[in-house]
Amino acid sequence: MDNVVEIKNVFKSYQLGSTEVYAIRGLSLNIRRGEFTALIGASGSGKTTLLNLVGSLDNADKGEILIENVSLKNLNENQKSFLRNEKIGFIFQSFNLVPVLNVFENVEVPLTIRKGLKDEERKARVLTALKDVGLEEFLHHRPDQLSGGQRQRVAIARALVTEPVLILADEPTANLDSKTAHHIIDLMLELNRKRNTTFFFCTHDEKLMSRVQRIIKIKDGALVD
Ligand code: ADP
Ligand code: MG
């Protein structure tokens, strides 16, 4: 079984003053290569916590997560940031673009720390990613000159440019109107098919789910059938 992600009985809680908030409670889940999986649940159900754990941005209290058969438990901070840059692309609700950089430069950022990548190849990869999201005519625009949907396309191109095995998207459409939101989902589905990139994306919007092959529901930090 070619699993890109294995989540094995993971627990995560936060200390909030004197109380402990249980965000993820004994959750297990596998994601296979090329799958497009939507994680859906109400606000506060644990979606962001789970995506952050899978993205190695945070550590589980108990249990284990493996990315392409490598346990995150066994990695130090340097190894984790290497893994993130090599294997994982992130897309966020609020786009997280660098305001002073233009579209091309924003997408280029994750490649600038790659050693041994020639200038021409880096540029070619940025252009390919921007073509894939339909923004080849906006290379010199700054984020504040773009619509919300265009900004999210830039963020998607930035996530794609390293050719990751896995893209994690945390409510990527929450700040968009519903028509634009559907276009962004369509684009992610198209990229999933075209590049066979594995997508794990979360949302609280049930309306977006009609075209997604695999839907997983989360409630109070655990999966619901
Ligand atoms: P979702 O993304 O589905 O809205 P979260 O993963 O953000 O859910 O939150 C899950 C639970 O963990 C919620 O009860 C939330 O209040 C709590 N939580 C999340 N982050 C923190 C934090 N940094 N400190 C304390 N509690 C947190
Ligand atoms: Mg969230």
Side-chain angles (χ1 to χ4, degrees):
M1 197 63 81
D2 191 13
N3 286 321
V4 170
V5 181
E6 288 171 69
I7 303 169
K8 296 179 175 176
N9 201 25
V10 162
F11 289 78
K12 176 72 183 177
S13 63
Y14 298 103
Q15 199 68 39
L16 201 65
S18 58
T19 53
E20 209 170 357
V21 180
Y22 293 90
I24 299 292
R25 328 175 186 228
L27 194 151
S28 298
L29 172 70
N30 291 336
I31 296 178
R32 288 201 297 275
R33 193 174 307 280
E35 251 182 340
F36 192 105
T37 305
L39 177 71
I40 172 163
S43 177
S45 56
K47 303 181 298 297
T48 295
T49 302
L50 187 64
L51 256 59
N52 287 346
L53 293 171
V54 171
S56 82
L57 296 168
D58 205 353
N59 299 315
D61 299 332
K62 254 175 73 185
E64 192 177 26
I65 295 177
L66 295 94
I67 305 293
E68 289 195 313
N69 303 316
V70 173
S71 175
L72 299 180
K73 254 187 193 170
N74 303 330
L75 305 181
N76 63 32
E77 288 308 317
N78 271 339
Q79 291 168 319
K80 278 191 237 175
S81 59
F82 184 76
L83 175 130
R84 282 193 294 272
N85 186 257
E86 289 285 313
K87 298 198 171 183
I88 304 177
F90 293 91
I91 303 170
F92 304 93
Q93 176 177 337
S94 48
F95 322 134
N96 294 12
L97 302 177
V98 182
V100 296
L101 298 183
N102 68 28
V103 166
F104 186 95
E105 292 161 341
N106 264 285
V107 175
E108 196 178 21
V109 166
L111 292 181
T112 56
I113 61 170
R114 289 276 172 98
K115 294 191 178 76
L117 188 64
K118 291 203 181 82
D119 279 3
E120 300 100 82
E121 194 190 337
R122 191 178 68 242
K123 285 183 181 143
R125 280 221 216 168
V126 173
L127 287 176
T128 302
L130 281 166
K131 268 189 199 140
D132 277 358
V133 302
L135 282 182
E136 64 270 41
E137 281 165 25
F138 293 84
L139 305 183
H140 303 292
H141 285 60
R142 283 209 324 268
D144 65 3
Q145 298 171 308
L146 301 174
S147 68
Q150 288 171 326
R151 287 183 210 186
Q152 197 56 302
R153 283 171 191 270
V154 178
I156 292 170
R158 181 182 56 187
L160 283 175
V161 77
T162 57
E163 296 174 0
V165 291
L166 173 67
I167 290 191
L168 299 172
D170 190 352
E171 309 224 19
T173 60
N175 286 345
L176 305 173
D177 63 75
S178 73
K179 192 172 156 221
T180 310
H182 280 280
H183 287 154
I184 291 293
I185 302 291
D186 288 339
L187 174 62
M188 295 200 305
L189 283 164
E190 186 194 318
L191 295 166
N192 164 253
R193 277 190 293 265
K194 186 173 158 190
R195 294 185 173 221
N196 202 36
T197 308
T198 310
F199 275 79
F200 187 29
F201 108 94
C202 78
T203 180
H204 65 262
D205 186 355
E206 304 236 357
K207 293 192 298 295
L208 291 173
M209 295 299 90
S210 51
R211 280 154 305 165
V212 176
Q213 39 159 264
R214 185 178 184 208
I215 296 169
I216 290 167
K217 295 198 175 174
I218 183 170
K219 192 182 173 205
D220 299 332
L223 300 187
V224 238
D225 305 321

